[in-house]
Amino acid sequence: MSYLTKNYNRKKISFIRGKGSYLYTANGKKYLDFVQGIAVNSLGHSHPELIKVINNQSKKLWHVSNSFIIPEGEILAKKLAKGTFADYVMFQNSGTEATEAAIKVARKYFYSIGKPKKNRILCVKNSFHGRTIAAVFASGSKKMTEGFGPKVVGFDHFKFGDHKSLNKKITKNTAAIMVETILGEGGIKVIPDWCLKELRKICNKKKILLILDEVQCGIGRTGDFFAFEKSKVKPDIVPIAKGIGGGFPIGAVLMNKKTASGMTAGTHGSTFGGNPLAMKVGSKVFDIISNKSFLKDIKKNSSYFIDKLNAIKKKYPKIIKEVRGRGFLIGLQLYEDQTNFIEKLMEKKLLTIRAAENVIRILPPLNVKKNELNSAIKIIEQVCSTY
Ligand SMILES: Cc1ncc(COP(=O)(O)O)c(C=O)c1O
């Protein structure tokens, strides 16, 4: 009997230990973990440098209130600002807090320049920005909002890829367009670079803000530090989380100077956000992932892996419909429901996770080894051959 609520459909398996790309059960079974906490453990399990950092800091200081200066947070904020489009950073603890805070930043900016009615956020229908009450209504998904009324107002929606409807939905009250640069839960759907460029142009023309949710696709996952970098587009606000903590809960909102101007003292806060323990871990993760040769390896290894997946798709064209994604944010879209396929992969000790549109999400750690990629390929091919 479990005393946990039933809001997860958990697999009947648990793990006692993790190392790099692998998870181990109590009876010694070893699984290749290509879920990694859903793109959270960016450097795999038990990374020695992260263990060292957390051990050292745990002996010094875990938590102090944000009423005091936190030097460890100043350092990480500086790294994030100097290394990216951002001028300012606001720390949180999770992705959904970061996306909600991003909405607050956008609204407060317009309020502070005397345009309080410019407060509506335009999002992709059935996207994913988290599970808090505003974030589910931002997603516009019936499945996520049903039963959680009254409706949180202030969000408009357009269909992914429907540019006509996007333009139609922008009104004088639109404050921002908020999209995931690559839709994760929605089925690993990449917004093409030209679309991101168009989005930026539309936002400039209409004088609205561009929020790119990089909670899942950011922090090196695509081989660039941010997924939007490839398009050369500069967003105004970017919520991040997952990968920046390498398994430790950290969220943040990155923003440019203009949008940060509304966030004066007392406008937002978080008890846990930006504590010294989290900041030390985040700093180390940032140092490792932002290294140019580390990012280059992600591009090289992921394109090797994606080529192999495409070869399997070519061999089994009736099973695999499409190989989607970029870097190590990969979706294997099947023609049929993917549940059984995921089970079969698990029986052969490869862990993957579902996304919408019959997609199997494959999320190796960013420092995955070539022989581990080869093992995964072998398993996927074996499952295809017995399907
Ligand atoms: C794009 C995106 N935004 C926000 C979130 C919410 O993050 P969290 O679960 O940390 O609240 C997620 C989580 O999957 C996500 O993929």
Side-chain angles (χ1 to χ4, degrees), residues 38 93-97 99 128-131 180 182 184-185 213-217 241-242 361:
I38 316 189
N93 313 283
S94 67
T96 195
E97 273 182 89
T99 55
F128 192 88
H129 299 290
R131 294 289 196 160
E180 297 165 73
I182 298 176
E185 306 297 312
D213 182 342
E214 292 254 344
V215 167
Q216 188 159 159
C217 62
K242 288 189 185 273
R361 250 181 306 176

Side-chain angles (χ1 to χ4, degrees), residues 83 223-225 229 286-300:
D224 290 308
F225 191 77
E229 284 172 17
F286 179 89
D287 291 346
I288 295 171
I289 294 180
S290 63
N291 183 302
K292 287 218 161 51
S293 76
F294 187 86
L295 289 167
K296 217 169 135 193
D297 279 351
I298 297 171
K299 281 196 180 137
K300 192 179 80 193

